Amino acid sequence: MQEPETNASLENTYQRDVAWLISFLMNRGEFYVSAYQGVSDWIPDTFYHSFATPKAKGDNPYETFLREVSHENEKKHSHRLCHLLAIAERTALILTLAPYLSPEITRILNRLEVQTEHNLNSVQGLQLKSFLPCPETLLYLLAGNNIRLRMQFQQIFAPDHLFQRKRVLEIQDVPPGVPWLRGAMGLSPEYQHLFTFGQEYEPEQSPSFPAHKLSTDQTWDDLVVPYNTHVKIEELLDWIKYFEQMAAHPEFTRERKGYRCLLVGEPGTGKTMLGRLLSKETDRPVYRLSLDKIVSKYVGETTKNIARVFNTARNRNWILFCDEGDALFSKRSTNVQNAQDTYVNQDIAYLLQEIEDYPGIIIVATNFSSNMDKAFQRRFDTRIDFQKPEQSDIIRLWQKALQAFELSPDIDLKFVAGAQANDITGAQIIKVKHYLGLKALKHKNWELSLEDFCAGLRQVGLKVPDFEGYQKRKNQFDQFR
């Protein structure tokens, strides 16, 4: 099978950049142990006057990102500083990609560490007995003891740099009292995947990532809701379609950070189904936060779980869907009696702030909005109420659910819907469908009798309409016609 064009382009690009970095490292070895103007390990500013990075000309994700960083730097910095930042950025990326692309770089760094008698490894790396570059590795390689150069190269770790805003580089925590420059430096999972495979990263649910991507084979025709609910869903779709344009409009950009929508209704009325349909019908992935994975009994872990999801989604085109919102965003305790109450309040406050600062679209579904924190409810732009279906909607739901069966004339769906109006959900109807389908497959018979239909209703705990009384009334009516 022919190799994908993107992978071939990435391979050529990395061969070029790895060769560039290896050449730089091999030529720096003797220079670091020499002295310049009486100072050891000194790199003069003039060294970089004629030193440049390879030009990013390809259209693969790695070089596209390099150009994006370069364009942003050009808007904010002088030509000289842009030149230095480009060298630091390229070196940082290749150092963090080295474990996946070039073990030779790691061997050179190990030799250089011995040669210069300078610890180039991270604190975590020493504990793992393997070489993991840290920010100090990068700064020492590029600047040595030249404080001015170190401060300039260090700007790639500044909060306003694209590396940090988009969370390209991750620096692990270090023990108390140890400078952050000693934290292991690596690519975030998103950019590691993008730069090595050439594809967008779609994380799977795990203990370290408490969310999963929603998908469905259903269509909008399968979502049967009352008219008023349908109107509000149309409003939601308009927000999703035009949100980015509004956020970029000069008249709205200062006021608009994100969009938040609250879905309220009993279980089975279509809230989660709406989230799944949004993932199919829009160009935005929808990730559902898993309550059981986010909330932890251990102090501080809930906050970390929340941060992982929001930090991953912040610079992506995602819709965040929070189910069971009444439990996740419950009222804060005003009568704090113990440390646990304090931590719960802190977790809720942190989550509220993350939602307030999130620049994208967040949808929260809840069964009981009265149980939710009032401060949280005020943050929503739109509220959509999901009611149990009315008679006309129930008829449509039953017709769609039973279209694979040959119904007995005794099953009058209009009568069934009238008896069940505002007392049944679409999810319950689907349960009856599945039960009846299982029986039909077992007996190889898709003729649905009234007796089997009633058995299906009982199986899922639904009240069986008075078919016998209805038939008697119908017969009496026919006699007087």
Side-chain angles (χ1 to χ4, degrees):
M1 187 173 70
Q2 187 175 3
E3 186 180 34
E5 184 176 344
T6 299
N7 289 348
S9 175
L10 281 171
E11 179 184 340
N12 294 332
T13 298
Y14 293 145
Q15 286 179 345
R16 178 201 67 195
D17 279 14
V18 167
W20 169 81
L21 182 58
I22 289 177
S23 175
F24 171 79
L25 295 176
M26 295 296 288
N27 285 282
R28 298 315 328 127
E30 293 184 7
F31 191 82
Y32 282 130
V33 296
S34 65
Y36 180 81
Q37 295 183 350
V39 180
S40 62
D41 294 337
W42 178 278
I43 306 292
D45 293 29
T46 55
F47 170 75
Y48 289 106
H49 287 176
S50 59
F51 186 82
T53 57
K55 292 293 184 181
K57 299 179 179 179
D59 58 357
N60 59 64
Y62 174 79
E63 295 202 275
T64 299
F65 175 75
L66 286 175
R67 287 194 295 272
E68 180 183 0
V69 178
S70 176
H71 292 331
E72 178 165 300
N73 287 341
E74 290 171 357
K75 296 177 182 177
K76 299 179 355 184
H77 304 299
S78 65
H79 176 75
R80 178 185 175 279
L81 185 53
C82 286
H83 175 67
L84 292 177
L85 290 178
I87 294 170
E89 290 154 359
R90 191 72 62 95
T91 305
L93 290 177
I94 295 301
L95 281 177
T96 53
L97 284 167
Y100 310 97
L101 303 175
S102 177
E104 176 63 19
I105 291 180
T106 298
R107 288 193 289 270
I108 294 173
L109 290 172
N110 279 321
R111 290 199 301 269
L112 187 60
E113 189 173 44
V114 174
Q115 184 180 6
T116 62
E117 298 182 353
H118 188 90
N119 180 14
L120 300 177
N121 211 341
S122 69
V123 171
Q124 286 86 352
L126 291 174
Q127 293 171 347
L128 294 172
K129 297 182 179 180
S130 62
F131 195 98
L132 290 178
C134 55
E136 173 61 23
T137 311
L138 175 71
L139 296 177
Y140 184 77
L141 291 175
L142 295 176
N145 288 323
N146 186 329
I147 295 177
R148 182 167 182 263
L149 274 181
R150 284 176 65 94
M151 293 181 68
Q152 291 173 329
F153 285 129
Q154 193 169 308
Q155 291 192 42
I156 70 169
F157 300 107
D160 62 341
H161 190 277
L162 198 64
F163 272 19
Q164 307 310 316
R165 293 207 324 272
K166 287 199 170 185
R167 302 185 183 274
V168 179
L169 289 181
E170 288 187 342
I171 302 173
Q172 295 183 12
D173 295 334
V174 295
V178 177
W180 64 269
L181 290 170
R182 280 295 175 186
M185 180 178 70
L187 288 172
S188 66
E190 298 91 335
Y191 281 92
Q192 175 188 316
H193 189 91
L194 180 64
F195 291 160
T196 54
F197 295 101
Q199 300 173 346
E200 287 288 338
Y201 175 63
E202 293 188 356
E204 298 290 336
Q205 181 173 298
S206 66
S208 62
F209 189 81
H212 65 277
K213 188 177 180 180
L214 292 179
S215 62
T216 183
D217 291 328
Q218 294 177 302
T219 68
W220 288 106
D221 290 337
D222 296 311
L223 182 64
V224 179
V225 294
Y227 175 77
N228 290 339
T229 303
H230 176 77
V231 170
K232 298 299 289 185
I233 291 175
E234 289 291 334
E235 178 184 337
L236 168 62
L237 293 173
D238 287 341
W239 270 104
I240 295 174
K241 183 177 181 179
Y242 298 106
F243 171 75
E244 289 184 345
Q245 295 181 38
M246 174 174 279
H249 196 285
E251 293 296 326
F252 299 96
T253 185
R254 292 188 301 271
E255 307 161 347
R256 171 63 48 190
K257 238 182 189 179
Y259 168 72
R260 294 162 288 275
C261 178
L262 179 64
L263 312 182
V264 181
E266 294 186 30
T269 51
K271 303 186 299 297
T272 303
M273 183 179 177
L274 173 61
R276 294 184 182 279
L277 288 171
L278 291 176
S279 70
K280 181 178 180 180
E281 301 297 331
T282 70
D283 58 352
R284 297 172 181 267
V286 180
Y287 274 82
R288 176 181 178 179
L289 277 68
S290 302
L291 175 64
D292 58 333
K293 302 294 183 183
I294 287 180
V295 178
S296 173
K297 64 180 179 181
Y298 298 107
V299 174
E301 283 301 310
T302 298
T303 298
K304 289 182 180 179
N305 291 338
I306 294 169
R308 287 189 193 101
V309 175
F310 278 87
N311 288 342
T312 302
R314 194 171 302 279
N315 295 299
R316 313 283 295 273
N317 202 26
W318 287 2
I319 297 173
L320 291 182
F321 185 89
C322 308
D323 213 347
E324 303 180 59
D326 48 307
L328 191 58
F329 312 112
S330 58
K331 294 180 179 179
R332 284 172 280 192
S333 174
T334 56
N335 183 22
V336 178
Q337 298 180 350
N338 52 48
Q340 186 64 30
D341 289 340
T342 300
Y343 293 131
V344 169
N345 284 351
Q346 289 175 349
D347 292 337
I348 295 174
Y350 179 79
L351 179 58
L352 293 176
Q353 190 59 51
E354 283 290 307
I355 289 174
E356 187 76 14
D357 294 338
Y358 186 65
I361 296 172
I362 295 180
I363 298 175
V364 176
T366 176
N367 299 334
F368 308 102
S369 61
S370 59
N371 292 343
M372 297 178 67
D373 189 275
K374 289 184 178 179
F376 179 68
Q377 293 191 52
R378 289 195 295 269
R379 285 165 165 80
F380 289 98
D381 300 283
T382 303
R383 170 173 170 153
I384 304 178
D385 290 294
F386 284 75
Q387 306 292 340
K388 287 186 175 180
E390 301 170 350
Q391 181 175 355
S392 59
D393 296 323
I394 296 175
I395 293 175
R396 290 174 56 200
L397 288 168
W398 276 121
Q399 288 174 338
K400 293 179 69 68
L402 301 179
Q403 58 186 359
F405 300 88
E406 184 180 340
L407 272 60
S408 166
D410 295 333
I411 303 175
D412 188 328
L413 293 182
K414 185 176 181 180
F415 165 68
V416 173
Q420 295 175 335
N422 301 312
D423 196 34
I424 193 173
T425 66
Q428 290 173 318
I429 291 175
I430 293 300
K431 287 183 179 180
V432 176
K433 170 187 175 180
H434 291 166
Y435 173 81
L436 296 176
L438 183 64
K439 293 297 182 183
L441 290 170
K442 180 179 179 180
H443 299 294
K444 297 181 176 57
N445 182 9
W446 290 90
E447 294 181 359
L448 183 60
S449 67
L450 178 60
E451 181 181 357
D452 290 337
F453 179 68
C454 293
L457 296 176
R458 297 189 190 96
Q459 181 67 22
V460 299
L462 293 174
K463 181 180 178 182
V464 177
D466 184 10
F467 286 102
E468 184 177 349
Y470 168 69
Q471 191 60 47
K472 288 182 178 179
R473 292 191 297 274
K474 184 179 179 182
N475 292 337
Q476 291 174 355
F477 177 78
D478 291 340
Q479 290 177 1
F480 288 103
R481 289 182 64 181

